[in-house]
Structures are given as structure tokens and as C-alpha cells.
Amino acid sequence: MNFDKITDRRGTHSSKWDKMEALYGLSPQDGLAMWTADSDYETAPSVIEAVKAAAEHGVFGYSWQHPEYLQAVQWWMKTRHSWDIETDWVLTSQGLGNAIALCLDVWSQPGDGAVIFSPVYHEFAHKVNKTGRKVTECQLARDGDTYNLDLDDAQSRLNGTEKLLLWCSPQNPSGRVWTVEELRAVADFAKRNGLILISDEIHHDLVYPGSTFVPMDVAAPDARAWTVTLTAPSKTFNIAGQRTGNMIIPDPDLRTAMRHRQNTLDYDPSALGVAMITAAYSPEGAEWADAQIAHLEGNRKLFDETVNALPGLKSLPLQSTYLAWVDFSGTGMSRAEFIRRLREDAKIATSPGDGFGAGGEFMERFNLATQRSRVEDACRRLTAAFSDLQ
């Protein structure tokens, strides 16, 4: 569990590092990749052992969503999130991006609307637009360092074409952990407006001490008839490249509709992905996940102390995720100027805040799931790039 061991990902077909030059004009040789949401350290030993065992077996034939896998998912949700699920509620997908696209495909038609609460994970809007649906953007209300719901404002923005609500919990990019009362309010909002509620809970394992994540289905079990929960171990265990996630659907009618669509697409899960998740969702995987949280909390504290000491910069306090959400509005700079300093002076690739929608115009997202030495390097680079504000 050495999260500070340097792993050189350059030249390994890592999108995070090897696409940095094409996307940001930063060479992997001296640029620092802090954008896309995967981590720079090795996954849990239990997962690595599962891959080794599969390689030694040497046969990679057809597999399926087998009972051991489903029981591992069930065990994880119960022990980590106090969520009792039935194994037949679980349908796999090719990652959660694929799951979101499938939900749009099954429960809406081209031209229909989908509600999002911005600033939010940029792929929500991208998926909606790519499938020929329309985004209904409702902005979260920012109160100091915290984002809150404004459902009255959201109601005023609906135009009657909406069929789905894409919900992010914990919230990406701000790291907000929603309360039970807020989750119930969202579920009620979806019901009032006849919306299928798609709750993306991919960051649910990455929660810091002092905060408690509650799944939507635990907070609002009476909303099962219109709720689909999306989960995956990809962020927790850094196995996003296996493209394997879960759609947990208690309602039999919703589940039947999704299973039918997957059957028409001839979808079956990846044998290696299933093996890796089964190994991750285990007591050994849980121990590793806890150690990772301790490492991330140290990274978070170091980064926040450095950034918040720079006049005009503010790293919002994270309750969850490894994604720092930094506000540059206090610098008085234009977006073009602080981005120039980040890219040309600091040579750091970050996720552009304006890509997360309204409210992100003066923000940038930094990925802290890396070695402590790289966070220290980022802190030095930021301090130098914005030193004239001292």
C-alpha cells in the first residue's frame, strides 16, 4: 500500500499523461498531469493478484455476470454503504459513461430534455448532446464554499420536454456530500416532474472523515419506481480502463427495459473486468481503500494549505473525491490569464472549469490522486506562477 511509489505512466498509452501534449500543449517530460480523474498509483494488491491469476490460467474465454461477482457487489454496498441490495438488481455496463448513454437511450427520445445541476461532471452534458437530447441546465446555488440546491429556480427552468434527471452524488467537481434531506428533495423533484432519476454515485467510496455518504436508494427508498443508481469501482481502485460498472435497478419494470436494450446490443461484461471487481470488493480491497483515503487526506491538506495561502486563490474544502475545485476569481484575472499561467508558467494540465457548466467559469479542477511528491511539485509550481500576488 505504498501510494508514494512513483509509477511512470508516460508512454503506456495513458490518456492522462500521453494525451496531455495534444490537449494542453504540455510535454509529458516536464508537464504535470492533474486533469482526468484516474490515479497515478497502483491498484489494490488483491486486484493485481486476480489479474496475475487470470494471466497464469491463460484462457480468456466467454464469461458472464456470475454469482461470485454479484455477491461481491452486494457485500460491498452493505458493508461500505449500509445499502441492502438484491443481486438481481445489478446489471453491468461498459463503465458509467456507457451507462449514462444507455439510460438516455432507454428512457428518452431525440429532442427530449435531460436535467443537470451545474457545475457538474462535464460528461453529463456531452452525453446528452451526443445522443440528440437537450440539456436543461439548473445551476447550484453557491453559498461561500458550499454548493446548495435551489429547486425553485430549477423548477422555473424546466420546459416540459424533460424525461431524465442526471444527478451526481457525491458531487463532482465540488466534492459535496449531499444530506439525506437534500437527496429526498431531489427524488421528490424528479417525481413531481415525471423524471427518471439517474444517480451517478461513482465517487461514493472516496469520502473523508467527518462526512457520511448515503446512497440515493437508502435516503429515498420510496423513489425506487423512478430511480437508477450507477456505481463502479473505477475511481476507488483506479481500474477505469476495464470499462466495467454497475446499474443497480430495484424496480422490475425499469430493470426489464434496460436488460432488453442490453440484449439487443449483445452486451456481456468483460471477463477480466468482472474478475478485478470481484477481487476489489473484498475485505482486502476495503483495507486498501481505507489506506488510500488516509493518503488522499494528506494530499488534500497540503494542497489546500498552499493554494489558500496564495492571495486571490481558493481551494474549496472537499468532503469527498480526489478532485480539488479551485476558484481563481479573487485574482481579478481574466480566465485567459490564469489559464496561461497554469499552462505556460506552472505547466500543469487541469480540467477546465468552464467545461462543467454555469458556475465553473473561474474555476479549475485538480486531480490529487497521485504521489505526495507530485502534489508538492504542483504546490511549488503554483506558488511560483502566482508569486506576484504575494
Side-chain angles (χ1 to χ4, degrees), residues 262-284:
Q262 287 193 302
N263 286 340
T264 66
L265 295 171
D266 196 28
Y267 172 79
D268 277 308
S270 156
L272 192 56
V274 166
M276 293 171 73
I277 294 173
T278 304
Y281 284 167
S282 64
E284 296 79 11

Side-chain angles (χ1 to χ4, degrees), residues 210-265:
S211 297
T212 301
F213 169 81
V214 179
M216 178 63 77
D217 187 60
V218 173
D222 56 341
R224 286 178 175 174
W226 61 93
T227 300
V228 173
T229 302
L230 309 182
T231 71
S234 49
K235 304 304 178 187
T236 310
F237 291 95
N238 197 28
I239 54 175
Q242 293 307 306
R243 298 287 183 178
T244 308
N246 294 308
M247 299 177 285
I248 301 178
I249 312 176
D251 182 76
D253 292 335
L254 294 179
R255 192 167 62 249
T256 297
M258 179 57 73
R259 182 176 282 121
H260 174 73
R261 187 65 182 119
Q262 287 193 302
N263 286 340
T264 66
L265 295 171

Side-chain angles (χ1 to χ4, degrees), residues 49-353:
E49 288 304 314
V51 175
K52 288 180 178 178
E56 289 170 0
H57 179 58
V59 178
F60 299 92
Y62 291 117
S63 185
W64 83 105
Q65 192 174 267
H66 55 69
E68 292 86 351
Y69 169 81
L70 295 172
Q71 289 160 10
V73 175
Q74 182 184 52
W75 178 86
W76 189 264
M77 299 308 157
K78 173 63 174 178
T79 59
R80 303 296 287 187
H81 302 296
S82 301
W83 184 15
D84 289 302
I85 68 169
E86 300 296 331
T87 55
D88 64 358
W89 296 356
V90 182
L91 302 179
T92 60
S93 64
Q94 195 183 15
L96 293 201
N98 170 251
I100 292 167
L102 281 171
C103 290
L104 288 161
D105 183 48
V106 171
W107 292 299
S108 69
Q109 298 295 324
D112 288 342
V115 179
I116 65 172
F117 287 84
S118 63
V120 72
Y121 176 46
H122 49 80
E123 278 297 323
F124 280 10
H126 290 174
K127 290 289 189 298
V128 172
N129 290 326
K130 283 193 287 188
T131 56
R133 279 68 172 171
K134 306 295 183 183
V135 173
T136 297
E137 186 174 21
C138 304
Q139 190 169 349
L140 295 170
R142 183 171 164 184
D143 181 11
D145 295 336
T146 304
Y147 287 94
N148 296 309
L149 289 166
D150 186 345
L151 293 179
D152 290 336
D153 177 74
Q155 189 66 55
S156 72
R157 297 177 184 272
L158 270 58
N159 57 41
T161 66
E162 296 83 7
K163 296 295 188 294
L164 293 93
L165 191 165
L166 301 181
W167 178 247
C168 194
S169 179
Q171 214 272 342
N172 170 14
S174 73
R176 175 82 154 79
V177 174
W178 302 107
T179 67
V180 169
E181 292 73 22
E182 288 168 322
L183 295 171
R184 288 175 178 164
V186 169
D188 289 344
F189 177 85
K191 181 181 182 181
R192 287 197 307 273
N193 291 286
L195 307 174
I196 301 295
L197 173 57
I198 311 301
S199 186
D200 179 348
E201 302 183 1
I202 196 169
H203 292 279
H204 61 175
D205 295 317
L206 302 167
V207 178
Y208 298 106
S211 297
T212 301
F213 169 81
V214 179
M216 178 63 77
D217 187 60
V218 173
D222 56 341
R224 286 178 175 174
W226 61 93
T227 300
V228 173
T229 302
L230 309 182
T231 71
S234 49
K235 304 304 178 187
T236 310
F237 291 95
N238 197 28
I239 54 175
Q242 293 307 306
R243 298 287 183 178
T244 308
N246 294 308
M247 299 177 285
I248 301 178
I249 312 176
D251 182 76
D253 292 335
L254 294 179
R255 192 167 62 249
T256 297
M258 179 57 73
R259 182 176 282 121
H260 174 73
R261 187 65 182 119
Q262 287 193 302
N263 286 340
T264 66
L265 295 171
D266 196 28
Y267 172 79
D268 277 308
S270 156
L272 192 56
V274 166
M276 293 171 73
I277 294 173
T278 304
Y281 284 167
S282 64
E284 296 79 11
E287 183 181 1
W288 183 89
D290 289 339
Q292 181 187 198
I293 288 293
H295 172 77
L296 291 172
E297 186 170 25
N299 284 358
R300 175 189 65 157
K301 289 180 178 178
L302 171 62
F303 185 83
D304 285 355
E305 287 172 2
T306 300
V307 170
N308 293 335
L310 296 171
L313 274 67
K314 176 65 176 178
S315 181
L316 274 60
L318 288 180
Q319 296 177 315
S320 66
T321 84
Y322 49 62
L323 305 167
W325 188 231
V326 179
D327 188 347
F328 289 82
S329 62
T331 64
M333 297 178 186
S334 66
R335 178 169 180 82
E337 173 58 18
F338 71 75
I339 291 297
R340 186 199 65 75
R341 293 187 183 217
L342 281 175
R343 305 289 184 263
E344 297 180 17
D345 298 340
K347 298 186 185 303
I348 300 176
T350 54
S351 294

